[in-house]
Amino acid sequence: MIRKAVIPAAGLGTRFLPATKALPKEMLPIIDTPTIQYVVQEAVDSGIEDILIISGKGKRAMEDHFDRNFELEARLEEKEDERWYNEVRRLADMANIHFVRQKEMNGLGDAIYYARFHTGNEPFAVLLGDTVINSVIPVTQQLIDIYEQYRGTVIAVEEVPHDKVSRYGVVGGRKLSDTLMELSTLVEKPAVDKAPSNLAIAGRYILTPQIYEAIEHTPPGKNKEIQLTDAFLYLLKRENIYSHTIEGKRYDIGNKLDFLKTNVEFALRRKEFAAPFAAFLKEIVRELEAREAGK
Ligand code: G1P
């Protein structure tokens, strides 16, 4: 049974400056909801109530977001704003959320290593804090279902265009079904001609406690950081690792263009915005087309 989740959220967010100079990238909102809240919700929707967030310098806003805010609650109560009063209270109670700070930016493998005392001898889920996935079944739940059957490390992957593989960790192995693979290799951000496939690691994992020993044996890799992907190579010599091609769509919030697209797609899914926002977008498209035709 998977009872715990670890959410690495310590990165500096250099791809989203200047917003991320003082604001954690995980607090960037999709419409009105911080990214990290979607990620915590995915863990909760997958049956996990114990969550460890690996934070870092300048990330206090995340702690406040999941804490009580008595002044705000009192004000909302006074205004009889039941909807937001309940929502603000729910945020503080949605899970048991713990924080630990990564002291130096030494990579994802190093960040996960900070969770070792918290997760102890149990398998646990990992959800990257800057990645939101929209799916029918929460992706963490999809991975848990596979873990229950195979009892090994499970990594969520998705197909990406071949020319984009160098942005991701990429896996290779033997197909067990349309969506499941037993891995024989993993490479962090390979050159296009060195990638074992176009299946990119999608920011969700089920890890076993053996990952900690593997991280201890992993030297710095890409960007001179301890890469989680490299730690899997050590682990592969000792146990099976599986990849699951996710059912769902992934949104990388740390990237400005993807962030813009995500906001548009999510707005079109929100009841209160769908119709007026669609009308606005159609108007923009008409203007763009007229401008192009006039060229
Ligand atoms: C991390 C992982 C990479 C994975 C990616 C998914 O990279 O190291 O394997 O494919 O997340 O978003 P980052 O995006 O932090 O550089």
Side-chain angles (χ1 to χ4, degrees), residues 15 108 128 131 168-169 188-189 201-203 205 227 229 250:
R15 288 181 301 160
L108 184 55
L128 299 193
T131 301
Y168 300 97
E188 182 65 14
K189 304 197 172 71
I201 298 177
Y205 313 78
Q227 298 295 344
T229 307
R250 190 179 59 89

Side-chain angles (χ1 to χ4, degrees), residues 64-284:
D64 292 339
H65 189 68
F66 294 106
D67 196 358
R68 296 283 302 268
N69 180 335
F70 295 103
E71 199 183 339
L72 179 61
E73 288 169 24
R75 184 58 60 88
L76 292 170
E77 217 171 3
E78 226 171 75
K79 283 179 32 183
E80 292 177 19
D81 186 340
E82 212 175 311
R83 175 180 172 207
W84 285 110
Y85 176 82
N86 290 338
E87 179 60 11
V88 162
R89 284 299 310 267
R90 186 187 73 87
L91 280 175
D93 289 335
M94 64 194 287
N96 295 318
I97 304 184
H98 314 266
F99 291 87
V100 62
R101 280 165 78 112
Q102 185 184 21
K103 303 212 170 46
E104 280 175 62
M105 295 297 106
N106 275 338
L108 184 55
D110 179 67
I112 299 289
Y113 196 64
Y114 278 82
R116 65 194 183 283
F117 299 118
H118 192 85
T119 62
N121 210 19
E122 355 181 346
F124 56 97
V126 170
L127 299 85
L128 299 193
D130 59 1
T131 301
V132 170
I133 304 179
N134 187 51
S135 60
V136 180
I137 300 169
V139 169
T140 297
Q141 181 69 60
Q142 295 176 28
L143 300 186
I144 291 174
D145 292 344
I146 293 163
Y147 175 82
E148 298 294 348
Q149 209 182 332
Y150 290 85
R151 299 275 148 189
T153 298
V154 191
I155 303 175
V157 296
E158 68 168 0
E159 273 188 42
V160 296
H162 278 281
D163 60 330
K164 300 267 163 43
V165 286
S166 57
R167 287 193 198 168
Y168 300 97
V170 181
V171 303
R174 184 171 66 93
K175 261 188 151 192
L176 302 181
S177 78
D178 276 355
T179 50
L180 192 67
M181 242 176 26
E182 189 183 314
L183 300 189
S184 55
T185 187
L186 303 97
V187 195
E188 182 65 14
K189 304 197 172 71
V192 178
D193 57 332
K194 297 265 159 45
S197 73
N198 67 333
L199 288 174
I201 298 177
R204 300 291 186 267
Y205 313 78
I206 302 293
L207 302 183
T208 64
Q210 284 70 36
I211 194 67
Y212 296 121
E213 188 196 325
I215 293 170
E216 282 165 15
H217 285 87
T218 302
K222 266 264 141 63
N223 302 329
K224 302 200 175 68
E225 293 175 339
I226 312 284
Q227 298 295 344
L228 182 61
T229 307
D230 295 343
F232 290 134
L233 284 178
Y234 176 91
L235 205 57
L236 254 189
K237 294 184 202 128
R238 287 153 187 88
E239 58 178 60
N240 288 346
I241 302 183
Y242 303 92
S243 72
H244 164 68
T245 305
I246 60 172
E247 176 280 306
K249 186 163 179 197
R250 190 179 59 89
Y251 300 89
D252 172 8
I253 306 308
N255 164 315
K256 290 178 191 177
L257 186 60
D258 279 3
F259 176 78
L260 283 171
K261 292 179 185 171
T262 307
N263 271 282
V264 171
E265 283 197 33
F266 276 57
L268 288 172
R269 267 192 236 126
R270 280 272 286 265
K271 236 195 330 204
E272 70 265 51
F273 300 126
F277 195 57
F280 166 76
L281 289 179
K282 281 183 195 154
E283 186 57 41
I284 299 232

